[in-house]
């Protein structure tokens, strides 16, 4: 979730951050960190490594996303390329 906060996100993401900041009673810059904290109380967050993932798998998955998920990528509020997707996966390895 933090990735959307640091990548030139769209107007929709900016509006979401504004609304969530009101609900969570925090600054817009802290919205994604606060959401992560809230969600961690609901479900245990594990790294991909705990599920058996390794660096090679992340590269394969990133390529797979580009090859099979174009409809989702086109509708994303942030344009994502291979390196972006890989960076997201690496952040949760």
């Amino acid at each position: 979730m933090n990735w959307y906060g640091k990548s030139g996100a769209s107007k929709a993401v900016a509006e979401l951050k504004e609304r969530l900041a009101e609900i969570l009673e925090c600054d817009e810059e802290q919205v994604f960190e606060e959401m992560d904290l809230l969600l961690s109380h609901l479900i245990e967050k594990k790294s991909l490594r705990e599920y058996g993932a390794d660096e090679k798998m992340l590269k394969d998955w990133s390529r797979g996303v580009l090859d099979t998920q174009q409809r989702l990528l086109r509708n994303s509020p942030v344009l994502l390329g291979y390196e972006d997707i890989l960076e997201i996966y690496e952040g949760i390895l």
Side-chain angles (χ1 to χ4, degrees), residues 11-23:
K11 181 180 176 185
V13 173
E15 290 171 357
L16 176 64
K17 285 173 63 175
E18 182 180 338
R19 181 68 182 122
L20 287 174
E22 293 172 15
I23 293 168

Side-chain angles (χ1 to χ4, degrees), residues 74-92:
R74 277 194 306 272
N75 290 303
S76 174
V78 176
L79 296 176
L80 299 172
Y82 172 82
E83 292 297 326
D84 302 317
I85 296 166
L86 183 59
E87 180 183 336
I88 292 168
Y89 280 137
E90 288 172 342
I92 56 175

Side-chain angles (χ1 to χ4, degrees), residues 1-9 13 17 32 76-78 80 88:
M1 283 170 59
N2 292 344
W3 198 86
Y4 285 108
K6 66 180 178 182
S7 69
V13 173
K17 285 173 63 175
F32 293 113
S76 174
V78 176
L80 299 172
I88 292 168

Side-chain angles (χ1 to χ4, degrees), residues 5 28 45 51-52 64 67:
E28 288 182 31
K45 184 168 44 171
Y51 293 103
D67 292 343

